[in-house]
Amino acid sequence: MNIIISNSSDKPIYEQITIQIKTMVMNGQLKEGDLLPSMRTLAKELRISVITTKRAYEELEKDGFIATIVGKGSFVKAADTRLVREEKLKQIEELLSKAISTAQQSGISREEIEEIIDILYECGV
């Protein structure tokens, strides 16, 4: 599993792991039934605490992306289209928040931003 941890990120390590695994599930890199590395194995590979990987897996399980079976491991659950949609909406909100903040700092109006969005949407970008 190719997870990249950044110590300079403003996001905690467990959240970086969670985001990357969710992304792998949503884009099909990880499929229903795929076995994730054990918490200890992932911690060793990433050179982080097992507590951190445990928290990431707990978040993934709480959010409905994985299921853990004691003695067998953690597996990717069937994609719940509502969960995937909600995750995508959350990602879009984060990106738009950054764009709006940049626009406001630059004196760009809401109408100009809406025009940009309309153009990009029409182009299928």
Side-chain angles (χ1 to χ4, degrees):
M1 179 170 300
N2 190 19
I3 294 177
I4 299 165
I5 300 300
S6 170
N7 291 324
S8 61
S9 173
D10 60 337
K11 294 190 185 310
I13 293 172
Y14 81 90
E15 194 173 333
Q16 292 178 50
I17 295 168
T18 303
I19 290 167
Q20 290 179 59
I21 291 176
K22 283 180 180 180
T23 301
M24 288 182 219
V25 171
M26 289 187 295
N27 69 20
Q29 282 179 276
L30 289 173
K31 298 181 183 358
E32 177 184 356
D34 283 353
L35 176 65
L36 297 180
S38 72
M39 291 177 211
R40 289 176 198 236
T41 300
L42 186 60
K44 188 175 181 180
E45 286 176 7
L46 299 176
R47 297 183 180 156
I48 58 174
S49 165
V50 174
I51 295 169
T52 303
T53 56
K54 183 178 189 300
R55 182 156 183 204
Y57 278 30
E58 286 172 346
E59 288 291 317
L60 289 163
E61 191 158 12
K62 182 184 80 161
D63 292 345
F65 281 84
I66 67 170
T68 300
I69 302 169
V70 178
K72 295 200 177 200
S74 297
F75 299 85
V76 175
K77 287 179 70 172
D80 181 339
T81 54
R82 292 171 302 173
L83 285 176
V84 172
R85 182 173 171 20
E86 189 61 35
E87 281 299 315
K88 293 288 187 187
L89 284 171
K90 203 161 71 170
Q91 289 174 356
I92 291 166
E93 285 174 14
E94 288 176 17
L95 292 169
L96 286 173
S97 291
K98 290 177 185 175
I100 290 168
S101 176
T102 301
Q104 289 172 335
Q105 292 169 5
S106 305
I108 297 170
S109 71
R110 177 186 178 126
E111 290 76 21
E112 290 174 292
I113 293 297
E114 289 174 356
E115 185 178 337
I116 291 168
I117 290 172
D118 288 341
I119 292 168
L120 291 174
Y121 219 90
E122 288 172 16
C123 294
V125 175

